[in-house]
Amino acid sequence: MPTNFTVVPVDARADGGQDEAAEPTEAPGAPEGREPDRPSRGDGRWTGSSGAVNGGEAERESLFEGKNMALFEEEMDSNPMVSSLLNKLANYTNLSQGVVEHEQAEDSQRREARNILGVILFLRLTWIVGAAGVLESLLIVSMCCICTMLTAISMSAIATNGVVPAGGSYYMISRSLGPEFGGAVGLCFYLGTTFAGAMYILGTIEIFLTYISPSAAVVRAGAAGSEAAALLHSMRVYGTCTLALMATVVFVGVKYVNKLALVFLACVLLSILAIYAGVVKTAFDPPDIPVCLLGNRTLSRRGFDVCAKTHSTANGTRTTALWGLFCNGSEPGAACDAYFAQNNLTETQGIPGVASGVLLDNLWSAYAAKGEFVDKKGVPSVSVPEEGRAGGLPYVLSDITTYFTMLVGIYFPSVTGIMAGSNRSGDLKDAQKSIPTGTILAIVTTSFIYLSCIVLFGACIEGVILRDKFGEALQGNLVIGMLAWPSPWVIVIGSFFSTCGAGLQSLTGAPRLLQAIARDGVIPFLQVFGHGKANGEPTWALLLTALICETGILIASLDSVAPILSMFFLMCYMFVNLACAVQTLLRTPNWRPRFQYYHWTLSFLGMSLCLALMFICSWYYALLAMLVAGCIYKYIEYRGAEKEWGDGIRGLSLNAARYALLRVEHGPPHTKNWRPQVLVMLNLDAEQRVKHPRLLSFTTQLKAGKGLTIVGSVLEGTYLDKHAEAQQAEENIRSLMGTEKTKGFCQLVVSSSLRDGMSHLIQSAGLGGMKHNTVLLAWPQSWKEADNPFSWKNFVDTVRDTTAAQQALLVAKNVDLFPQNQERLSDGNIDVWWIVHDGGLLMLLPFLLRQHKVWRRCRMRIFTVAQVDDNSVQMKKDLQTFLYHLRISAEVEVVEMVENDISAFTYEKTLVMEQRSQMLKQMQLSKTEQEREAQLIHDRNTASHSAGAARAPAPATPDRVQMTWTKEKLVAEKHKNRDSGVSGFKDLFSLKPEWGHLNQSNVRRMHTAVKLNGVVLGKSQDAQLVLLNMPGPPKNRQGDENYMEFLEVLTEGLDRVLLVRGSGREVITIYS
């Protein structure tokens, strides 16, 4: 895992410093998790009830508790402490889980490999090689495997971009391209998965009736040539019964399907090993499997044993059973079929072996029309004028017309198993790991197996046997089974159970897919299928799936069902690739896949290949699938979308813009689409030039040309008087925006006061849904000057305005030290001090900055503060889990802050602050007197700091604090602080009696600012950028000037600081 953690206990000295980091060791016997019954005071609330120091033991004890975070105490209801919320964030789950019985869910690779290596490999691959030839078969398989590999890469990127709940591919597409595309493609993919279940069941029944027990057919052939129709009727009967049985197994519980999965997988692996073993055996000991040819035509050996017209016995020459099939009687003089009479019977080896050189004969295609003879090229044959193909003669005939595009449609379902793992993503323990690893490894493995099998089949098996789909020339045996070693039954039984398992898998995945669509509510008439059993089993969805699957079984022909589901799968794969390409090109902040080996060009290539394969397989099926998807799309869009049409190109463009704005205005964006839409507040000098150009540089680095940027400024006066200055200022701002490459809009307001102008901008900037959600401004460096155009009062009121408007606030302090766009920070850290949780903006901003080349090489570090009652070990685990789900790599330090007495420096700092505040309120000072007073206060502050440091030596360094606070250790630390603290306060108040009259709330807030500043300086003084939670202004407006002093102390000594105040809503999510 890329996230590193260090837990550093810190004890604040009297001067706000800190001790060296203690060893990150854990106390023996310390609890691993949180104690559920321990009252937590990690929210930082101050529990003291009196400001008196000697007012009793309860008051003295309470005075020591909760002072560390007093600066944030008024906002704890809306912005809780990180330490108290981290466990909920790390273990937050709102997933649409699958059944509760998913603990034993099988691995994604096993599931997908079993689905990919299924019915087509065992029942149709030899026939495809025979019809298309080795070269064209390699082309077919390569196209399909490349298509699925590109789709798997795109799917891996989407699947690792957050938690993937149940629904798999539907969830990926709908959350990436919206509910219209998601619903349309999701339903198509559901239909494809359901028809795949029908195909696997038909394959199971075909194996049973053709190769295991032909006598079990319930419908018998009544006349010659009706065998195929009778077989289809029997398949319908057995297929319906098998479907009912499988649906019952799935209904009883998915755990039984998982228990059978290993058995099915073992059958597949044993069958494949048997094929390779048989190929090796043919190299030195080819099997004796004769094939009977009449002329160059292959004969079906179901009704005879001897490949001869006559045979000699002791009583003379007698005719064979084959003679009786072609002639009117068994006598030598009986009238016979003309072709039979003029051509000789010969025998050839059906499997001559890998060293026979038959590969050269099988390189090229041998497509045939329906009803044509399966004949061997190069064998002499006497043609006859009238060829009676009907009449029940034992020829091996082509049952369907074969051509390249048709074979592509039949083969493609064999590679559609790549979605098997994602369909049951809700049942996987860690879908982000299982889906990419399992899918890609499964595709690589199965692609090798398919490609090697094509070459080996072409090198070992005679061409007429390859084109014999049902093994009629081999007495009804499975062709691939005759090649296997040690027995054909290994393949027959293995393929039977393999297709059974794949059918069960489809019947398990398809209902969950439909359930996920139904629960989203995008298609009203499907909502009933979102319900199920108490454990989440989709009962109603399973019933509908079984009914749709029955329609595929009634078709009965595996070759007719395969192209149908190929269309649906190809459409789904196409939109998976489209979703990945769109997300990559848009570069949304939430697009942070853990899987890094993707690119939009690969996704676009995969999308193009899927579209091409759809029309290659069947252009009319492709159009039909698109029509179905289009109708669903329009239906979903019709339910909530308003349509407007314009006239002409310009009218259409304007209408499209209006339509988009109206759609955006429907509601706030989803958390995963949230990005900072910034209103940048600029200050202008007397010549209408921007005071802090680096603020626009920082905006460019933060936005990278994405989203909305509004650059605003205020001129004081009336619009009639300031019209020329306003135009000049706007030109200057636009020029600077071009220089700094800031893509956005300029909005300048002329107002009677700066305060009102800024409030107007915060309220009204933007249009419709294209409004800002974040305000960025520079820290007023000269806020202590009363005549400053941007005084502290304007600043504090602006903070309150952004809070009331539910907008985030970014305050850049020392903004002139921020890097320009041309600079490249080759090293360094971006430090995040996460004190309170206010929506996750602190986590998102460093990620956005690191997308820009200025900050790209900087490392991200996250510091969070643990109070005395917090379990640092558990905080580390929770933060590790949370960051892993967020796909954010960072080095994390959990800093433990010890509760101790308030330093003399803090009291003196508070005293100076309150004295200045009172004097400025009571006296109307001139500018000269104010400057002199400010200088006097500064000198007094410096002298008091030096005196306090000399008179009050730093307390002794406590014992090293271990990572987890035990109960005994906590009590000992409190008594230690209590005993030393009471006498310490008596000494402090004897030095300065006026300290006893200070506002204790201000003292505690100053204590928080001093202590946090010391900790931040010790860890982040050399950081390239420090991001801090910005405390809110006091609810009592009388203390606004004190609030500015608190912020000044909090950030003192840091070069580049970004104070961050969230909007109150979540802006970062663990979901895709």
Side-chain angles (χ1 to χ4, degrees), residues 180-192:
E180 294 89 356
F181 277 111
V185 180
L187 272 184
C188 288
F189 186 56
Y190 163 73
L191 293 174

Side-chain angles (χ1 to χ4, degrees), residues 947-1069:
R951 295 176 187 174
T957 303
D959 296 335
R960 289 192 172 184
V961 183
Q962 294 172 331
M963 287 175 67
T964 303
W965 290 87
T966 62
K967 184 176 180 180
E968 295 78 9
K969 187 171 146 199
L970 175 61
V971 173
E973 186 69 24
K974 286 183 178 180
H975 282 292
K976 177 180 175 183
N977 284 338
R978 183 186 305 148
D979 296 340
S980 62
V982 174
S983 60
F985 271 100
K986 291 180 180 178
D987 295 339
L988 289 176
F989 286 147
S990 65
L991 294 175
K992 290 274 187 161
E994 58 268 29
W995 289 353
H997 304 290
L998 292 176
N999 185 320
Q1000 289 301 314
S1001 177
N1002 287 339
V1003 172
R1004 290 183 291 104
R1005 284 177 168 81
M1006 184 62 74
H1007 177 71
T1008 299
V1010 170
K1011 194 168 184 180
L1012 273 179
N1013 177 255
V1015 174
V1016 174
L1017 275 178
K1019 294 295 178 183
S1020 304
Q1021 192 165 15
D1022 298 329
Q1024 298 288 4
L1025 179 64
V1026 177
L1027 287 84
L1028 273 168
N1029 280 116
M1030 181 180 180
K1035 295 180 180 178
N1036 181 8
R1037 292 175 178 264
Q1038 300 301 321
D1040 286 357
E1041 66 278 4
N1042 299 336
Y1043 172 68
M1044 298 296 294
E1045 185 69 36
F1046 294 143
L1047 295 183
E1048 191 74 62
V1049 172
L1050 181 63
T1051 58
E1052 188 175 5
L1054 298 172
D1055 291 337
R1056 299 177 185 139
V1057 183
L1058 187 67
L1059 294 171
V1060 180
R1061 184 164 172 77
S1063 61
R1065 62 160 293 169
E1066 293 293 331
V1067 301
I1068 194 167
T1069 178

Side-chain angles (χ1 to χ4, degrees), residues 41-83:
R41 288 185 296 276
D43 57 358
R45 291 187 183 275
W46 180 69
T47 57
S49 59
S50 173
V53 177
N54 299 320
E57 182 176 349
E59 286 82 1
R60 290 198 303 269
E61 179 175 352
S62 65
L63 188 60
F64 292 110
E65 297 180 1
K67 300 185 299 294
N68 282 342
M69 294 296 120
L71 195 58
F72 300 91
E73 66 184 2
E74 288 188 351
E75 300 182 292
M76 289 303 169
D77 292 336
S78 58
N79 298 335
M81 288 293 298
V82 171
S83 58

Side-chain angles (χ1 to χ4, degrees), residues 24 71 387 415 464 489 538 544 640 738 751 803 807 820 899 962 988 1004 1055:
L71 195 58
E387 297 182 1
V415 295
V464 292
W489 285 103
L544 180 64
S751 178
T803 303
Q807 296 172 6
Q820 292 181 324
E899 295 276 2
Q962 294 172 331
L988 289 176
R1004 290 183 291 104
D1055 291 337

